[in-house]
Amino acid sequence: MKKTDNPFIIWKQKLKGISDSPCIDECDFRNKNRQCPNCGLLRNEKKEWKFYSNDEKAQVMELCEFRRLNLTL
C-alpha cells in the first residue's frame, strides 16, 4: 500500500484522528466507482473512517488493497 512520508500530511492525519487510515491525501473520486486510485478508499469510507471500530478498519484496509490492485476506472 502506498504511504506518505510528507510530515505535513502525517501531522494533518493525526490532527483529524485518521493517522491509521490508508489515505495519503492524494484523493481523486472522479471515476465511475467513486474510489480513490491512490489508497482504494471509497468516498464514504474516507468520511466515516474515524468512527469505525478496529475490526471495521481492518476489513476496509483489506478491501482497499483488493480495490487498488483490481482498479478499473
Side-chain angles (χ1 to χ4, degrees), residues 49 53-63:
W49 182 263
S53 68
N54 288 338
D55 290 338
E56 290 171 318
K57 287 178 180 181
Q59 186 178 18
V60 171
M61 292 284 281
E62 288 180 24
L63 285 170

Side-chain angles (χ1 to χ4, degrees), residues 12-49:
K12 192 164 82 168
Q13 286 178 331
K14 286 181 182 178
L15 186 65
K16 290 180 174 180
I18 58 168
S19 58
D20 56 349
S21 169
C23 179
I24 57 171
D25 213 29
E26 294 179 10
C27 305
D28 180 9
F29 295 108
R30 293 176 288 180
N31 56 62
K32 66 180 178 181
N33 300 327
R34 300 277 189 225
Q35 169 189 332
C36 179
N38 296 306
C39 68
L41 282 172
L42 300 177
R43 175 173 268 171
N44 66 318
E45 291 170 340
K46 180 176 179 170
K47 289 180 181 179
E48 298 297 319
W49 182 263

